[in-house]
Amino acid sequence: MKNIYMYIQDTMADFEHGYLMQALSLQSMLGEAKVKLVTVSKGKKSIKTAGGMTIVPDVNLYDLDTANAAALVLIGGDTWLDNEQDDVLEVASKLLQENILVGAICGATLGLAEKGILDNRYHTSNASFFLTQMSQHYRGQDYYKDEIAVQDGKLITASSAGSLSWTKLIVEELGLYSKYTVEAWFNYFSTGDAHYYFEMMNSLEKDAQGH
């Protein structure tokens, strides 16, 4: 089983990974999980999220096993222009070069922009001016798309309003569920229509049976 590494840091935006957590939890209905969530931070010190939660990471960033990585997920926060994030951004760049999925949302896209990772990849963020005004080294304006979530190969980016669509793209890229399950899941959480909930549950049962 491979790992989805979620990098966590002080000021991390709590709400931006909620849909991803829910989608990963559905693996319990498959009988056997395909990926495992592992939280990672520098120094393995506890962090305080924007909402006030304290989280102790599972592993130190420097112990991250890239050979066993299915994805690296970067959540928004207020610290992405700090030099202390350089190491995780280097890991993100390395994983992309090795064709391993990197998902970044909200403020995390600013970190990618500052390090030139978005210069030649289609991407999005909270707004185009968010990147151009906040990052001194961003040169990817021609690749910016005014959408809430964008995929370019193994890079998936999103605005702070795009966590549901961002998660859908991540789950699809990882191949965790059938396309019918993913569509029903997305439709349920985007509309609240109970019809899609039952459709999702029925499709998950078929996924578990290998259909």
Side-chain angles (χ1 to χ4, degrees):
M1 183 190 309
K2 289 200 169 185
N3 296 328
I4 294 182
Y5 290 103
M6 177 182 289
Y7 183 75
I8 61 174
Q9 78 281 359
D10 287 328
T11 76
M12 183 178 76
D14 306 66
F15 71 95
E16 291 177 350
H17 54 82
Y19 285 120
L20 180 60
M21 298 298 93
Q22 200 284 328
L24 293 177
S25 73
L26 294 178
Q27 291 184 100
S28 63
M29 296 189 63
L30 299 180
E32 182 178 358
K34 296 182 179 179
V35 294
K36 176 185 177 183
L37 178 73
V38 178
T39 55
V40 56
S41 185
K42 292 183 68 172
K44 203 178 176 183
K45 297 179 180 178
S46 64
I47 64 98
K48 184 77 72 173
T49 69
M53 291 182 63
T54 299
I55 302 177
V56 179
D58 297 313
V59 299
N60 189 317
L61 174 65
Y62 306 110
D63 296 326
L64 188 151
D65 182 8
T66 57
N68 198 40
L72 173 65
V73 178
L74 308 175
I75 309 301
D78 297 335
T79 66
W80 280 106
L81 289 180
D82 295 350
N83 291 334
E84 67 180 56
Q85 309 303 353
D86 286 353
D87 290 342
V88 70
L89 292 169
E90 288 182 10
V91 172
S93 180
K94 177 182 177 182
L95 291 178
L96 286 170
Q97 292 172 12
E98 295 179 359
N99 205 35
I100 296 173
L101 179 64
V102 172
I105 186 169
C106 189
T109 63
L110 185 57
L112 298 181
E114 182 69 6
K115 297 305 176 184
I117 297 173
L118 304 182
D119 285 357
N120 56 5
R121 295 179 173 93
Y122 289 108
H123 61 277
T124 192
S125 184
N126 294 334
S128 59
F129 65 81
F130 177 73
L131 299 181
T132 56
Q133 293 184 12
M134 295 290 290
S135 171
Q136 295 182 356
H137 300 101
Y138 174 59
R139 300 293 182 270
Q141 293 90 337
D142 290 343
Y143 290 87
Y144 187 87
K145 289 191 173 184
D146 191 17
E147 301 174 12
I148 59 174
V150 169
Q151 180 171 6
D152 185 339
K154 292 295 184 177
L155 176 67
I156 299 175
T157 54
S159 76
S160 59
S163 59
L164 180 60
S165 295
W166 182 66
T167 296
K168 181 176 183 286
L169 292 173
I170 291 173
V171 170
E172 287 175 333
E173 183 64 29
L174 292 173
L176 300 185
Y177 312 107
S178 69
K179 65 178 181 179
Y180 304 103
T181 296
V182 175
E183 286 298 326
W185 174 87
F186 181 81
N187 289 336
Y188 173 64
F189 282 103
S190 59
T191 68
D193 188 335
H195 165 77
Y196 293 118
Y197 175 81
F198 291 109
E199 193 174 275
M200 176 183 69
M201 299 304 287
N202 289 335
S203 186
L204 275 168
E205 289 185 11
K206 293 179 180 179
D207 288 353
Q209 296 168 5
H211 295 165

